[in-house]
Amino acid sequence: MGESISKAGKYQSVLEPQEQPAMVSKESKQLVIGLPKEQSELEKRIVLTPDAVSVLVKNGHELIVEKGAGAGANFTDPEYQKAGAKIIYSPDEALKADIVLKIDPPTEGEIELMKPGATLISALQFRGRDKGYFENLVRKRITAVAFESVQDKAGNYSVVRAMSEIAGSSSIMIASEFLSRGQSTLLGGIDGVPPTSVVILGAGTVAEFAARTALGLGAEIKVFDLHLYRLQRLRYALGRSFYTSIIDSQNLPKALKEADVVVAALRSEKGFTPMVVTEEMVKEMKDNAVIVDVAIDQGGCIETSELTNHKDPVFKKHGVIHYAVPNIASRVSNTASYSLSNIFTPLLIKMGNIGGVDEMILTNQWFLKAVYSFKGNITHQYISKKFDLRFRDLRLLLAARI
């Protein structure tokens, strides 16, 4: 059970220590967790909130937080200090923790500061990475975990799902903002005024939450995907009727011509999203229509898309406003940080209870799959092939250690 009854008869979370805590297993281990400040000023999320830190500290773990690490998400240093964290004034001590938690992958300078044999949990991004970057992870024998590849017991990618929910809802809010600026048009519909037309490319989690938000505002939506079963699943999830179509050369161009907003959210295939909207199609769109290319971090599915950032998020091409920021969830960093904390707090508590990172990898297949570097070995086949590095099967490495 996930809850226990206190003497007062109220529910108390088992994540919080009880008045008389039960005996923990002999294998339990104190974790030393570092939260360095993100190097990019455009990344404002943090993996653990002060509330999460409080729970971890009460469970016997040590938290080291760099000054200002939570400021972008509206969490103050006194809040972390009150929760039991140690506040430090340079990244060195946070990066020398046994477990380093970040959003962005560490820079090569940050890797140099990490202690040999430490564990890194962060996003895995190939953009801007070279062979030397991964060789440094191997040289320092760092165990690196890609948090977007961590699954729950049901096989869902928890971080991807959470950030996709945020990106989907945010994409419509973003489109509404720039549509009002460009066309002086309200996204949605009111009595006596035709609803705006929203085209959604894809039928995954981003598309689901974009569709929910657009429908809630009263917009008319059309959803396109490469697979019929995804469209059927989306319609079932939303519980209402709307236009759906397989992506083809006839229906999609027509829908784009009539669209006020396009949300591009196709899932990646073999690492890159399929390019389904050509420059010619964009040329035929309305003046000051808005494209939000949520898939830009994997190449995008709009031919005219170019990577932008939160400081300079849009550009106009062929009269169409393009928004192509890769980390949309950072726009609502407080919400996103709470969401990440909900995922990683119980995971870290479990990790401590069973004896540490190695035991977590050994006993949980869903966690093992997210490991791409392990104690001096590259354990991710794609990285091995892309950068010509020796691949070692993690299961065989673990078997040799038993």
Side-chain angles (χ1 to χ4, degrees), residues 46-63:
I46 188 168
V47 179
L48 297 175
T49 67
D51 288 343
V53 167
S54 177
V55 171
L56 289 165
V57 169
K58 289 174 182 176
N59 275 271
H61 305 301
E62 181 181 349
L63 275 292

Side-chain angles (χ1 to χ4, degrees), residues 99-112:
I99 300 172
V100 176
L101 290 181
K102 292 184 87 280
I103 300 293
D104 282 341
T107 63
E108 296 199 29
E110 287 177 315
I111 292 174
E112 285 303 315

Side-chain angles (χ1 to χ4, degrees), residues 5 49 65 69 78 92 138 144 151 155 214 216 232 265 275 290 361 371:
I5 305 294
T49 67
V65 180
D92 298 35
V138 169
Q151 295 174 275
Q232 293 169 332
M275 191 76 66
V290 178
I361 296 171
V371 178

Side-chain angles (χ1 to χ4, degrees), residues 129-173:
R129 305 284 174 257
D130 57 17
K131 183 176 181 178
Y133 180 88
F134 293 98
E135 285 178 331
N136 285 337
L137 291 176
V138 169
R139 177 176 55 83
K140 299 208 73 170
R141 299 180 59 80
I142 289 171
T143 296
V145 181
F147 66 34
E148 68 269 35
S149 298
V150 174
Q151 295 174 275
D152 60 22
K153 290 184 178 180
N156 300 309
Y157 293 94
S158 303
V159 172
V160 174
R161 171 79 189 186
M163 296 303 106
S164 294
E165 291 178 4
I166 293 171
S169 297
S170 296
S171 67
I172 297 300
M173 299 296 101

Side-chain angles (χ1 to χ4, degrees), residues 280-314:
E280 290 303 313
M281 293 180 188
V282 174
K283 287 179 180 178
E284 295 296 316
M285 291 177 63
K286 296 178 182 178
D287 282 344
N288 290 314
V290 178
I291 290 174
V292 181
D293 197 343
V294 184
I296 191 65
D297 58 336
Q298 294 178 316
C301 44
I302 311 287
E303 188 176 9
T304 49
S305 286
E306 298 172 12
L307 200 68
T308 61
N309 57 58
H310 288 294
K311 273 191 174 179
D312 191 15
V314 297

